[in-house]
Structure formats: structure tokens, C-alpha cells
């Protein structure tokens, strides 16, 4: 299986979680243009569970 196929067959949440686990810092913070207000309190709210936080973030409305 090519890497392209492996990625295309993966759920988006799983792909983002893999990225989050391999890089330092908060994935949501980076995706929100390093806006601290956008992540303030998220860790505690989601029980310090990055997978749960990212899954919730995927269902939120995008803010420009």
C-alpha cells in the first residue's frame, strides 16, 4: 500500500492525532494561528485528552 492510500483510508481525527503526538505543543494552538485565547481552558475542559480536544475542535465552526 502506498503512503497516499494509507493516508486516504485514515479517519481525519486519527491523522491529526498522529501529527499532534509527533510534534511539541498544542495542535489546536498551532491550527488557530497561535492565538492563546482560542485554546485557553481547552486542556482542562477536555481532561487533558488531546484526542478528545481535537475531535471536538473538528466539529466547531471555523473562525476566520
Amino acid at each position: 500500500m502506498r503512503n497516499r492510500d494509507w493516508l486516504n483510508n485514515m479517519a481525519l481525527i486519527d491523522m491529526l492525532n498522529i501529527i499532534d503526538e509527533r510534534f511539541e505543543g498544542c495542535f489546536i494552538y498551532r491550527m488557530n494561528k497561535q492565538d492563546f485565547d482560542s485554546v485557553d481552558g481547552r486542556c482542562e475542559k477536555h481532561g487533558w485528552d488531546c484526542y478528545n480536544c481535537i475531535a471536538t475542535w473538528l466539529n466547531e465552526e471555523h473562525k476566520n
Side-chain angles (χ1 to χ4, degrees), residues 2-62:
R2 295 179 304 169
N3 287 323
R4 173 187 314 277
D5 300 325
W6 174 66
L7 290 171
N8 282 333
N9 291 325
M10 185 181 299
L12 180 58
I13 182 62
D14 294 332
M15 184 186 318
L16 296 178
N17 191 56
I18 288 171
I19 293 168
D20 179 65
E21 289 177 346
R22 285 163 175 75
F23 293 96
E24 290 291 320
C26 174
F27 176 79
I28 303 302
Y29 180 71
R30 290 189 306 266
M31 290 300 295
N32 287 332
K33 302 175 186 168
Q34 299 184 358
D35 174 16
F36 180 76
D37 292 334
S38 69
V39 296
D40 188 31
R42 287 188 75 98
C43 294
E44 188 172 348
K45 178 181 177 183
H46 296 287
W48 304 94
D49 180 353
C50 294
Y51 187 93
N52 186 29
C53 183
I54 293 169
T56 302
W57 177 81
L58 284 172
N59 290 315
E60 293 172 359
E61 290 291 325
H62 180 71

